[in-house]
Amino acid sequence: MIHPTPRLRFAPSPTGPLHLGGARTAMYNWAAARALGGKFLLRIEDTDQARSSDASLQIILTGLKWLGIDWDEGPEKGGDFGPYFQMQRLPLYRAAADRLLASGHAYPCYCTPEEIDAGRKAMEEQKAGFAGYNRRCRNLTAAERSAFEAQGRKPNLRFKMPEARVLQVHDLVRGDVEVNTKELDDWVMLRPDGVPLYNFACVVDDIGMAITHVVRGEEHFLNGIKQRLLFEALGAECPQYAHIPLILNKEGKKLSKRDADTNMLDYRDKGFPPEAVFNYIALLGWGFSGDRDVFTRDEMVAVFQIGNIGKAGARFDEEKLRWMCGEYVRRWTPAQCLERARPWLSRVVPEAAFSSHAAWLRNVVGCYQERITILSEFTDKIGWLFAELPTLDEAAQKNLAKEPASKDWLRGYAEVLEKGNLPPSWPADRTAADAVVALPSKKDAAAPTCAFATPAQIEQECRAFTERIGVKFGNFVHPVRAALTGTDKGPGLFDVIFLLGREACVRRLRAAAAR
Ligand code: GLU
């Protein structure tokens, strides 16, 4: 009987990090469980003991949590259907194997790897069409078995594939599919040491954990056929399967390490906002109704249906992922962005500044929200604010060298700013300026009343100065920006001047003029 509550699982093998494909599989199972009002559980398929590690498990769990994919049962949570680690379930596999032996659906196979190989080669030579295990041990007599046992051979347990037949299966993604079982081997279920192989453990656990739906990669489609037959042999109902297409690269080829980070935590460490990564991964094979690309987890869950997962291979495109990140970063308030970006800001901003200069940092961050996509970009982008003098990049050097007269402009402008009413420079307290003026300045916003010159006033004074000295405003701003920031890109120039404050501006303009 199918369990009345929908129950879905993600069943990672802890043999490596959580990668993009795994994250997507987990997400679709999670979303379906949430959408159906069911349970989502984690099962750890750790039977490959040589390759499984606790380190990988921790990376997988951390990756899921980072993406906001929570589970109801499994590691760290427990649950009524445990244990959730396959290596803790060995007695259950043994018991199922005994049932299958008793019912004639399984048999012990004493063949050595060499014998199996030789058998396969012989089949190949006979061109029998299908070359796999030659089923030598399928019909051994009791005496033959005893003879092998007496030689000290320890048997693998094989599943006795039923007579070849054409199966009509329904896959929630692929639709109705016809499969001929004649090409399927008598596969190994259990090794002599009692450790199960994937297909066997998977079915015993899907039954034991009352799984109702399975979403997984299409590489498991044929496994799904073997599993259906095993469910049948065990007298259990098979979950509804959905086998989803691979994630391809931009060119439509298999995704490789060059196309994407293989560890979800690398995205975390580079400051990709997890909700943006979640949103992007959701779109790798599934679409929100209409042409809406940006949505929250809750919005996804409200409309998610397994049947709406696409049949075509989704393509991973890092540019689109970054675009998505930018969409999220821009929607935050500067205060939220400051909070989120703190780990990357901390690489250049002294720790104390987060409390003493919170308003200033909000303004700094606010100026960049439109200009970055991932938070690690902050580290490189805001260093100029803290240096005694900025390091001039190539573009800045060019802009300073272009007009021979520009050194005089800089000297003159330094004087204007020195006499003007700019806010003080970091590390002096600037709260009176930053708590009142919110950056980036918006042209249409009402002018705040501030004890210091606002960016709009600084601009007015600057224009007046360029008129006085007879220099085109458009030419004037380039060397000034270069002198102040060391580069030719960044926030609006008058926001820059406001952020830097009087002493820093004057010092930088004079240093550039003296070069
Ligand atoms: N451990 C298997 C994998 O990672 C699980 C496949 C399944 O969901 O059945 O591919």
Side-chain angles (χ1 to χ4, degrees):
M1 209 202 47
I2 285 282
H3 200 269
T5 310
R7 293 176 54 83
L8 293 94
R9 56 25 173 222
F10 176 51
S13 305
T15 52
L18 179 68
H19 48 76
L20 206 62
R24 183 186 61 163
T25 300
M27 179 186 299
Y28 287 174
N29 281 291
W30 171 89
R34 296 287 172 262
L36 294 166
K39 298 278 183 221
F40 174 64
L41 52 120
L42 273 194
R43 175 171 81 224
I44 306 306
E45 306 208 325
D46 54 355
T47 55
D48 184 346
Q49 290 159 276
R51 292 175 57 231
S52 294
S53 73
D54 188 57
S56 290
L57 173 66
Q58 293 313 322
I59 290 171
I60 293 169
L61 299 184
T62 308
L64 291 172
K65 288 181 206 165
W66 179 69
L67 284 169
I69 298 174
D70 58 334
W71 54 98
D72 306 306
E73 299 171 27
E76 298 175 357
K77 282 269 167 85
D80 294 340
F81 295 75
Y84 294 90
F85 288 80
Q86 288 189 325
M87 286 308 287
Q88 294 170 23
R89 300 174 63 83
L90 299 186
L92 296 164
Y93 307 127
R94 185 71 253 171
D98 288 342
R99 275 180 60 201
L100 291 163
L101 278 172
S103 64
H105 289 100
Y107 62 91
C109 167
Y110 298 91
C111 294
T112 62
E114 296 74 31
E115 288 164 350
I116 293 169
D117 238 29
R120 184 184 303 116
K121 288 209 179 96
M123 285 169 92
E124 271 163 13
E125 275 156 27
Q126 289 161 20
K127 299 223 164 39
F130 168 67
Y133 174 56
N134 66 9
R135 300 181 169 170
R136 180 182 77 162
C137 294
R138 195 167 167 149
N139 297 307
L140 295 182
T141 62
E144 286 166 326
R145 278 186 192 157
S146 311
F148 279 133
E149 302 266 350
Q151 289 172 18
R153 296 198 190 202
K154 300 267 179 277
N156 285 301
L157 223 59
R158 283 187 190 268
F159 183 64
K160 196 186 276 179
M161 284 297 289
E163 284 304 294
R165 57 179 152 136
V166 177
L167 280 184
Q168 316 276 353
V169 302
H170 184 74
D171 187 283
L172 293 175
V173 167
R174 297 182 153 202
D176 293 319
V177 188
E178 231 181 55
V179 191
N180 194 324
T181 65
K182 82 168 187 278
E183 302 255 299
L184 297 177
D185 232 340
D186 280 1
W187 46 278
V188 174
M189 302 186 326
L190 198 65
R191 285 193 222 285
D193 60 2
V195 177
L197 275 89
Y198 160 68
N199 279 308
F200 180 52
C202 181
V203 170
V204 172
D205 293 345
D206 282 345
I207 295 172
M209 297 178 181
I211 299 303
T212 58
H213 304 71
V214 173
V215 181
R216 62 187 169 198
E218 69 183 1
E219 69 274 18
H220 286 297
F221 181 78
L222 267 190
N223 285 328
I225 302 298
K226 294 181 185 173
Q227 293 175 14
R228 280 174 196 274
L229 296 168
L230 184 53
F231 275 102
E232 200 177 277
L234 286 165
E237 203 162 325
C238 179
Q240 288 186 267
Y241 288 140
H243 289 98
I244 62 178
L246 278 178
I247 301 176
L248 306 172
N249 69 11
K250 244 165 93 178
E251 285 78 43
K253 304 222 172 68
K254 198 172 173 243
L255 198 67
S256 78
K257 282 190 185 144
R258 256 170 292 122
D259 305 307
D261 280 320
T262 41
N263 182 347
M264 290 316 294
L265 295 186
D266 290 344
Y267 290 110
R268 178 196 65 178
D269 297 344
K270 289 182 191 162
F272 286 68
E275 56 274 62
V277 177
F278 179 101
N279 191 155
Y280 180 74
I281 293 176
L283 291 172
L284 291 172
W286 178 83
F288 202 88
S289 58
D291 45 15
R292 188 165 160 200
D293 273 346
V294 183
F295 45 80
T296 65
R297 292 185 186 90
D298 288 346
E299 287 169 333
M300 177 192 188
V301 164
V303 299
F304 186 81
Q305 284 179 23
I306 298 175
N308 292 345
I309 300 172
K311 285 191 188 56
R315 295 187 181 199
F316 176 80
D317 177 353
E318 165 119 10
E319 258 165 63
K320 173 130 195 231
L321 169 59
R322 285 197 179 233
W323 168 85
M324 181 71 82
C325 292
E327 286 292 303
Y328 277 83
V329 169
R330 250 166 279 153
R331 282 164 201 225
W332 296 332
T333 63
Q336 286 169 329
C337 191
L338 176 59
E339 187 60 38
R340 302 285 297 255
R342 188 159 169 167
W344 294 275
L345 293 167
S346 286
R347 294 178 192 172
V348 272
V349 179
E351 214 41 41
F354 290 98
S355 45
S356 66
H357 282 68
W360 183 56
L361 290 177
R362 268 202 302 280
N363 271 340
V364 171
V365 161
C367 283
Y368 281 95
Q369 275 179 268
E370 293 275 350
R371 295 166 198 280
I372 62 152
T373 55
I374 63 174
L375 300 172
S376 56
E377 288 179 70
F378 272 116
T379 310
D380 288 342
K381 288 221 153 102
I382 66 164
W384 61 273
L385 271 163
F386 295 89
E388 181 67 15
L389 291 173
T391 320
L392 306 177
D393 69 13
E394 214 173 297
Q397 291 179 24
K398 247 195 218 152
N399 281 342
L400 281 170
K402 207 164 176 183
E403 294 271 358
S406 68
K407 300 209 162 161
D408 295 333
W409 309 347
L410 299 181
R411 244 177 252 122
Y413 193 44
E415 224 162 286
V416 171
L417 294 184
E418 193 169 37
K419 288 197 199 111
N421 184 28
L422 289 188
S425 298
W426 154 267
D429 182 11
R430 314 173 23 108
T431 318
D434 292 302
V436 182
V437 174
L439 300 187
S441 5
K442 304 225 168 29
K443 285 246 165 351
D444 46 356
T449 343
C450 178
F452 297 99
T454 62
Q457 290 162 349
I458 300 168
E459 177 170 355
Q460 265 175 13
E461 281 166 14
C462 178
R463 285 183 186 273
F465 174 69
T466 55
E467 269 164 41
R468 260 199 326 271
I469 62 170
V471 173
K472 262 168 82 185
F473 182 72
N475 294 340
F476 180 78
V477 293
H478 297 298
V480 173
R481 174 186 289 282
L484 295 179
T485 69
T487 183
D488 64 341
K489 287 180 211 61
L493 180 61
F494 303 102
D495 286 359
V496 161
I497 293 173
F498 182 85
L499 283 176
L500 272 175
R502 183 200 272 135
E503 299 79 6
C505 284
V506 171
R507 180 171 64 241
R508 289 168 189 222
L509 292 171
R510 288 194 175 138
R515 264 164 49 89

